[in-house]
């Protein structure tokens, strides 16, 4: 795993598309039990090099019901975004994760984590990639159907503060889905 992680940290495959240059941000361990697959680092995380070190990360840890200590213990939780490097800004926020990244690195990483019991899929890029045809037409429908993807996958929306309108419109998520997610995570870690 260490060899693979240092190979990833030296990756420059889509260098010409990255406005701030390559800086892959990923954590994983051969004993990881949960894998969290998010989108791509933002500028703050690009600077600090610490994944989910932002308001989205704080919200995510609340949803999962775990401390920073557990969240950043790679032997429990691997943090693997769909794109490991900051992809740049588009008209309506950050650009999508670089499409080269997941096909190149996810399989090798997951093959070195034989103890994974749950993969949490955050946002539509991760959900479409991992659920394929089983993903519903919208993120809302996919999250609503979360039970059909268990025990392997748990799809959730992005915990970004920008998603507060979605959360306000879909109160069932925090009322009914989050308690199930918390329990599943607590049972594993
Ligand atoms: S986004 Fe992924 S594929 Fe592109 S340079 Fe970074 S690690 Fe390599």
């Amino acid at each position: 795993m260490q060899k693979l992680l240092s190979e990833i940290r030296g990756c420059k495959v889509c260098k010409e598309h990255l406005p701030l240059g390559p800086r892959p941000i990923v954590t994983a361990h051969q004993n990881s039990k949960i894998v969290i697959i998010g989108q791509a680092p933002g500028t703050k995380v690009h600077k600090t090099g610490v994944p989910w070190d932002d308001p989205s990360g704080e919200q995510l840890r609340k949803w999962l019901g775990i401390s920073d200590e557990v969240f950043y213990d790679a032997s429990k939780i691997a943090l693997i975004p769909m794109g490991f490097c900051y992809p740049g800004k588009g008209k309506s926020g950050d650009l999508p994760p670089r499409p080269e990244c997941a096909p190149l690195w996810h399989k090798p990483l997951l093959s070195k984590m034989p103890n994974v019991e749950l993969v949490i899929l955050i946002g539509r890029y991760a959900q479409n990639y991992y659920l394929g045809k089983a993903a519903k037409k919208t993120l809302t429908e996919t999250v609503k159907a979360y039970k059909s993807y268990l025990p392997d996958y748990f799809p959730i929306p992005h915990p970004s503060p920008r998603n507060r309108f979605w959360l306000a419109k879909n109160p069932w998520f925090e009322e009914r889905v989050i308690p199930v997610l918390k329990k599943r995570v607590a049972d594993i870690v």
Side-chain angles (χ1 to χ4, degrees), residues 34-38 64 118-122 152 154 156 181 185:
I34 295 177
V35 177
I36 295 178
I37 304 189
L64 301 176
L118 177 68
V119 179
I120 298 174
L121 301 170
I122 299 183
D152 297 333
F154 207 126
I156 62 172
L181 176 65
V185 169

Side-chain angles (χ1 to χ4, degrees), residues 8 11-15 18 22-25 82-86 98 100-102 104-105:
I8 291 171
C11 178
K12 293 181 175 37
V13 163
C14 51
K15 189 175 155 208
L18 303 172
R23 184 168 198 209
I25 296 169
M82 287 301 290
F84 298 164
C85 301
Y86 171 65
R98 286 305 312 167
E100 300 85 344
C101 204
L104 184 62
W105 294 118

Side-chain angles (χ1 to χ4, degrees), residues 2 11 18 24 87 89 95 104 106 117 124 126 139 151 157 175:
Q2 284 318 310
C11 178
L18 303 172
K89 265 219 172 333
L95 287 170
L104 184 62
H106 277 207
E117 293 178 45
R124 68 186 175 92
L139 175 135
E175 285 165 13

Side-chain angles (χ1 to χ4, degrees), residues 140-161:
T140 306
E141 286 174 57
T142 303
V143 174
K144 250 186 193 160
Y146 73 95
K147 281 185 192 155
S148 63
Y149 309 114
L150 290 172
D152 297 333
Y153 297 110
F154 207 126
I156 62 172
H158 200 282
S160 162

Side-chain angles (χ1 to χ4, degrees), residues 85-116:
C85 301
Y86 171 65
K89 265 219 172 333
K91 276 183 197 151
S92 52
D94 286 352
L95 287 170
R98 286 305 312 167
E100 300 85 344
C101 204
L104 184 62
W105 294 118
H106 277 207
K107 248 196 196 150
L109 274 167
L110 291 168
S111 72
K112 293 202 180 300
M113 292 186 275
N115 301 324
V116 171

